[in-house]
């Protein structure tokens, strides 16, 4: 089921998400809904707080249009290692139509549980590494607007206020 994506400045985007106790069928349905919502948007990642669920889960698919889909589900993720630096022009489904250059680590090592409840470790670089860091931030209530200059932050705030007033 496609869920509604919350937009800045919804206060639910600022809450710190809680660990998942056990990977149950309910969690698997949530992960499915998140994937469906991400593909529908469309976006290359989605964190549970973006649909108003304060749990530590995110989904990512960085495959391009001409590649087969590559859905990854991360439950209770932990970033174990961050290395190097890279800058991407990032978007966020909670800031529709905005994009900003954000500095991130070039490579990340992440540990998480999969939908089978089993732990896995993944080393990623490029866009996948960026997406993992972006989604992990959502679980901490951190948003891309927090990572830009004061001037850009004000511009982003203004654009989002205007959008909210327009009833978008
Ligand atoms: O769809 C998305 N694209 C994107 C592009 C560059 C860096 C990060 C992202 S994540 C974003 C979807 C989203 O808001 N996830 O939280
Ligand atoms: Ni986002």
């Amino acid at each position: 089921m496609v869920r509604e994506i919350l937009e800045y400045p919804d206060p639910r985007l600022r809450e710190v998400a809680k660990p998942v106790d056990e990977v149950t069928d309910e969690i698997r349905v949530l992960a499915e809904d998140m994937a469906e919502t991400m593909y529908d948007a469309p976006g290359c990642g989605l964190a549970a707080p973006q649909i108003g669920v304060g749990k530590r889960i995110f989904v990512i698919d960085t495959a391009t249009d001409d590649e087969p889909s590559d859905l990854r589900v991360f439950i209770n993720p932990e970033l174990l290692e961050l290395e190097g630096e890279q800058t991407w022009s990032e978007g966020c489904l909670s800031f529709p139509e905005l994009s900003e250059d954000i500095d991130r680590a070039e490579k990340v090592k992440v540990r998480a549980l999969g939908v089978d409840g089993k732990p896995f470790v993944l080393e990623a670089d490029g866009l996948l590494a960026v997406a993992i860091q972006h989604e992990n931030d959502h679980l901490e209530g951190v948003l891309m607007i927090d990572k830009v200059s004061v001037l850009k932050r004000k511009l982003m705030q203004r654009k989002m206020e205007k959008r909210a007033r327009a009833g978008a």
Side-chain angles (χ1 to χ4, degrees), residues 22 24 30 32 38 42 52 66 83 92 99 105 110 118 124 135 155:
E22 197 188 341
T24 58
L30 171 62
E32 266 175 45
M38 171 181 73
D66 57 347
E83 197 189 303
C92 181
S99 60
V110 57
K118 293 191 180 137
E135 302 313 336
L155 285 167

Side-chain angles (χ1 to χ4, degrees), residues 90-101:
E90 295 192 18
C92 181
L93 296 171
S94 298
F95 294 84
E97 292 163 36
L98 303 189
S99 60
E100 285 298 338
D101 284 355

Side-chain angles (χ1 to χ4, degrees), residues 45-47 50 91-95 134-135 138 143-144:
L46 187 80
Q50 291 182 282
C92 181
L93 296 171
S94 298
F95 294 84
H134 177 114
E135 302 313 336
H138 275 298
L143 302 170
M144 58 184 252

Side-chain angles (χ1 to χ4, degrees), residues 38-109:
M38 171 181 73
Y39 290 126
D40 178 71
C44 65
L46 187 80
Q50 291 182 282
I51 56 164
V53 176
K55 290 190 190 334
R56 302 189 79 83
I57 306 183
F58 58 73
V59 296
I60 292 178
D61 188 340
T62 54
T64 52
D65 288 343
D66 57 347
E67 290 170 343
S69 61
D70 182 24
L71 179 65
R72 297 164 195 267
V73 179
F74 300 77
I75 301 169
N76 296 346
E78 292 169 79
L79 301 192
L80 304 175
E81 286 171 32
L82 298 160
E83 197 189 303
E85 262 184 60
Q86 61 176 331
T87 306
W88 277 78
S89 175
E90 295 192 18
C92 181
L93 296 171
S94 298
F95 294 84
E97 292 163 36
L98 303 189
S99 60
E100 285 298 338
D101 284 355
I102 313 261
D103 301 326
R104 303 274 187 190
E106 182 193 8
K107 293 182 182 176
V108 298
K109 188 170 174 180

Side-chain angles (χ1 to χ4, degrees), residues 20-23 73-78 111-120:
V20 171
D21 294 332
E22 197 188 341
V23 181
V73 179
F74 300 77
I75 301 169
N76 296 346
E78 292 169 79
R111 179 170 58 210
L113 303 178
V115 282
D116 56 4
K118 293 191 180 137
F120 66 90

